[in-house]
Amino acid sequence: MISRRRFMTHSCGLGVAAATASTTALTLGLTRSVSASTTDGYKALVCILLAGGNDSYNMLLPHDQDQYDEYTKIRSDLALDYDSLLPLSNQSESGRSYALHPGIDEIRQIYESGNLAFVANVGTLLEPVDAVGIQEGKARVPLGLFSHSDQIAQWQSAVSYNRTSTYGWGGRMADLLDPDPANGLSMNISLSGTNLFQTGYRVSPYTIYYQGDGANTVWSFPQFWSNGINAHTVIRDLLGVDHDNMLRREYSSRLKGAMDNYDTFVDAIRSAPEFETEFSENYFSGMLKQIARVIGARNTVGQSRQTFFVQYGGWDHHDGVVNYQAAMLPIVSKGLDEFRSAMEELGEFGNVTTFTISDFARTLTSNGKGSDHGWGGHHMVMGGAVKGGEIYGTYPELSEDSPLDVGRGVYIPTTAVEQYFAELALWFGVGRGNLDEVLPAIYNFYSPSGGEAPMGFLV
């Protein structure tokens, strides 16, 4: 086995961390003009970042007896009780069976209905590697493995090689598909602030909030002053002045654009239909409800493509992983089911695909209190276009001498993030000829010209 310290030293030696993009709320809808791919009809992608590193081997775990026995041997005090698990009805081609964490029955039901799939053992890679190559120091691995900041950046940018990236793959999609939004609103909308995933060469995410109408004004005082004068009108008149100074002129233009975007967004979201679906009173469900309202206003907003970004943090469970997941996973499960219900009310469930990402998985072995930073892990994809009820990719055979194990149950990914994201990007409307503009390293794992789907989990 290779030591974690040696492995980190080797991986960090390949480069420096990818930097997150720095943008402001005023930089909306600025894009370069390039050839677009297919944007007929409406489609949306909802990216959920489980920040901190979700222990996904206690979310999706083996259920056949011999593999469950290996699971309990490796996980020791972190292993979930067999009788508490939620078994999945289907088996793999090799006869393996799987089960879910006992707190996510809503996810199990959506899976069994054919509208949710799991993608197994996904992670950041530069190229396909094995444990022997890593132990011998011959394999190229992503920079900053086990580092929260580096791995979150690489999942959002789809750039794991030896250079920094200030653009995300969602932002690069916007550069291709929506170079000049007619109403000025970015197609990338974030419920969790400025993020790398949605930041393109010129595109920035439009940040909203989960409460109220979502958008805030660009100033912090009331619309009307105490003397009854309309402050907004005064500000707009001031911004209408033609400045000789180029910087003043540009600032006025940007500020006025942000104000116009606020008016456009609020008018649109107030026109959205009310849902019969009742969303839970928590932060995660609140963000999904606000996304549902924005999608409900899709015709008023006038966007044929939208991405949404949600960060739900707190998954760095170096201790208490069993108890913390018992509290947090049910929130995710319930929220996804509520969002599914709202999309079905709108008749858009088939046009909205929701997927999870995370920094990394966790070590299969226990540190005595919880689990530490790992590598490849399991993720969920939900939507009416998902060919669900299946586990895509390769769920590893669990054993103490697994050829994928580089130490302490840190498993090398068998599916690259590029393959996972390519399936989503092609469904979203990115052309095969443009796929490497969105995912620069895609040819290391998949040939877009081959005609076959990268993974096959989307219709």
Side-chain angles (χ1 to χ4, degrees), residues 105-154:
D105 190 52
E106 294 89 356
I107 288 174
R108 184 191 64 81
Q109 292 181 46
I110 303 171
Y111 176 92
E112 297 291 359
S113 73
N115 295 132
L116 184 143
F118 288 94
V119 184
N121 200 25
V122 189
T124 57
L125 288 168
L126 295 179
E127 60 191 12
V129 296
D130 57 32
V132 173
I134 291 174
Q135 290 168 350
E136 294 178 350
K138 298 177 180 178
R140 297 193 309 134
V141 296
L143 58 89
L145 284 173
F146 310 119
S147 159
H148 287 294
S149 59
D150 292 341
Q151 293 307 296
I152 284 179
Q154 290 173 37

Side-chain angles (χ1 to χ4, degrees), residues 33-54:
S33 178
V34 293
S35 59
S37 298
T38 304
T39 55
D40 296 334
Y42 176 80
K43 286 185 177 180
L45 286 173
V46 180
C47 176
I48 297 173
L49 168 60
L50 303 177
N54 177 36

